[in-house]
Amino acid sequence: MNRETPITEFGQARAEITPPKRILLKKLVSRLSAQKQRFQILSVLIFVNFLAAVLTFVTNVKIANIVGKESFGQIAYGLALGLYGAAVVRFGFDRTLVRDLIHYPDNFGELTARSLILRLITLATVTFGLVIWKITGYKTADLTFGVMLIVIACTILSLDLRAVYDSWHRMKRHAVYNLIQKSSYFVMVWLVILLFQEKLTVRWVGTAMLYSAILYLIMQFVWASKRIDFPPLTMRLFAEAVRMGQSNLLIWFSAIACLSFGSLNQLVLKHYCGAAELGGYAAAWQIVSIGMLLLTQIARLGNPATARVTNGNINSEARCRFLVGYSAVMVMVTLPICMPALIWPETVLKLVFKPEYVTAANALRLMALYLMVFSLGLVASQYVVSVRLEKLYFVSVILGGGLGAVLCIVLIQSYKGTGAALALLISHGLSILLYWIVILRQFLGRKNYDSN
């Protein structure tokens, strides 16, 4: 007896439909699994970095309230100088190395080695320049030993392997290292706060930052170096490192010029208005920095995802959906911080800092607007770099940075901290707007190409 099921018209239809359904189901399950993994990574990053952000915020507020606006302004001055040192040492690899490691996985070890060689050379140059500045005595009142420690601590952080961990999707491990670094810094500072509060100085803050930075680098290199096949040190490797640096020059100059948006205004503010005014501005920035940290962690997931969506023949519709979703997430993250700062800036400052810091209320309101603009700028800049529009990135940053430098000189002398915040919002906002205009034009051109 034939036990096979008779092939009816319905049976034929079912046989034809079932395989595509199974394929569709498998694709759906695969996509959900991929999103689940990303969600888990994002959850860990947000939790760990939110904890670090809370501890950083509480610690900085305590430091500001203990040492006062003058000394807190000196700390902010050291951090601003340190950001310039870090930008020089990074050589733009914080923007491009993830992309290159993903696009050229066969050269993973050599690309990492080249970037480290260049960063070590520039670190030695920056450190030498800092020592010469201190020895020659040019404005040594600004470059105290405590400020110098803060600058060095910020600068050596540029040797980190964050791009390597991100390309491996080991963000969770890297986040734990970051938390350990922050925790070691907090322990050193809070021991002094609890036991010898009157001895809390800029020098001690700088010492704690330097110790925690060294610990952070050691942890990263110990784990990652065992998993990277580094090439031998040869003259060819140094020559390739130089060529890699030459190809990264536009991004490097752009990264330094970017500091005209967030750091130059602080240096100019201290120059014209003194450390106390900078201290008030820095206090307002502490509130906004929580949102900046959250955006940075989401951008860590977004950066390799952007590199992948721009690698290969991905159509314009898929790219557009990605950018819209990415931008919406970034803006939504800023709202819980931006709205109170926009509506009640004085109340927010009074709840957190001593009354002397309330003078920065107007600056805080402008910073809240800037945070929302910055969230869209992160998305746009990652996309521009991923599609290798380095010239656009360079031109945009140079134009915005140049405008920012002019606005700092014009506005800060008249409006002090409020002028510094306004210069930041206008200059960086116009630069980000230029990104989006070019991206939109590229999408329209690519859409026409896809349709043909």
Side-chain angles (χ1 to χ4, degrees), residues 70-71 73-78 81 130 133-134 138-152 201-204 206 270 275:
E70 183 77 24
S71 293
Q74 291 181 9
I75 294 172
Y77 179 65
L81 287 176
L130 202 60
W133 180 6
K134 184 66 177 176
Y138 178 72
K139 290 190 175 181
T140 50
D142 291 338
L143 191 67
T144 63
F145 187 68
V147 170
M148 193 172 178
L149 288 174
I150 293 174
V151 175
I152 294 173
T201 61
V202 177
R203 178 177 294 192
W204 182 254
K270 181 182 182 300

Side-chain angles (χ1 to χ4, degrees), residues 326-352:
Y326 190 9
S327 301
V329 169
M330 296 291 266
V331 172
M332 290 296 292
V333 167
T334 67
L335 293 181
I337 297 170
C338 290
M339 297 313 294
L342 276 170
I343 301 172
W344 309 290
E346 295 91 351
T347 303
V348 171
L349 286 170
K350 287 179 181 177
L351 287 173
V352 178

Side-chain angles (χ1 to χ4, degrees), residues 384-419:
V384 164
V385 172
S386 290
V387 296
R388 301 183 183 275
L389 292 175
E390 285 93 347
K391 289 184 180 179
L392 166 63
Y393 184 73
F394 176 74
V395 170
S396 175
V397 169
I398 291 298
L399 289 176
L403 177 63
V406 173
L407 289 176
C408 283
I409 296 172
V410 173
L411 296 176
I412 287 176
Q413 294 185 69
S414 301
Y415 302 103
K416 299 182 179 179
T418 302

Side-chain angles (χ1 to χ4, degrees), residues 5 35 86 89 110 146-148 164 179 198 297 359 397 423:
T5 304
Q35 294 302 323
V89 173
E110 183 157 334
V147 170
M148 193 172 178
V164 171
L179 181 61
E198 69 282 356
Q297 299 315 309
T359 54
V397 169

Side-chain angles (χ1 to χ4, degrees), residues 112-259:
T112 305
R114 292 179 201 168
S115 73
L116 286 173
I117 289 171
L118 282 172
R119 284 183 280 171
L120 285 169
I121 292 172
T122 50
L123 175 63
T125 304
V126 169
T127 304
F128 179 74
L130 202 60
V131 172
I132 293 299
W133 180 6
K134 184 66 177 176
I135 292 175
T136 55
Y138 178 72
K139 290 190 175 181
T140 50
D142 291 338
L143 191 67
T144 63
F145 187 68
V147 170
M148 193 172 178
L149 288 174
I150 293 174
V151 175
I152 294 173
C154 293
T155 302
I156 66 170
L157 284 174
S158 300
L159 296 176
D160 73 348
L161 297 176
R162 175 172 168 172
V164 171
Y165 282 82
D166 286 2
S167 64
W168 282 341
H169 270 271
R170 295 285 186 172
M171 293 94 159
K172 292 188 287 187
R173 176 176 287 274
H174 194 269
V176 172
Y177 293 154
N178 183 52
L179 181 61
I180 294 173
Q181 175 215 357
K182 299 289 186 184
S183 299
S184 62
Y185 167 74
F186 300 142
V187 168
M188 293 184 68
V189 171
W190 278 97
L191 279 175
V192 175
I193 290 175
L194 296 175
L195 300 178
F196 313 102
Q197 187 175 116
E198 69 282 356
K199 294 186 177 181
L200 183 65
T201 61
V202 177
R203 178 177 294 192
W204 182 254
V205 172
T207 301
M209 288 179 64
L210 183 59
Y211 167 80
S212 63
I214 294 172
L215 177 64
Y216 176 63
L217 293 176
I218 291 173
M219 289 187 296
Q220 289 184 66
F221 276 89
V222 166
W223 190 83
S225 60
K226 299 175 183 177
R227 293 159 176 82
I228 301 175
D229 185 17
F230 285 114
L233 285 175
T234 61
M235 291 305 298
R236 185 196 67 81
L237 183 62
F238 278 89
E240 290 297 329
V242 171
R243 276 192 282 271
M244 185 179 181
Q246 289 173 342
S247 66
N248 228 43
L249 280 177
L250 284 180
I251 297 296
W252 186 37
F253 292 149
S254 302
I256 296 172
C258 266
L259 296 175

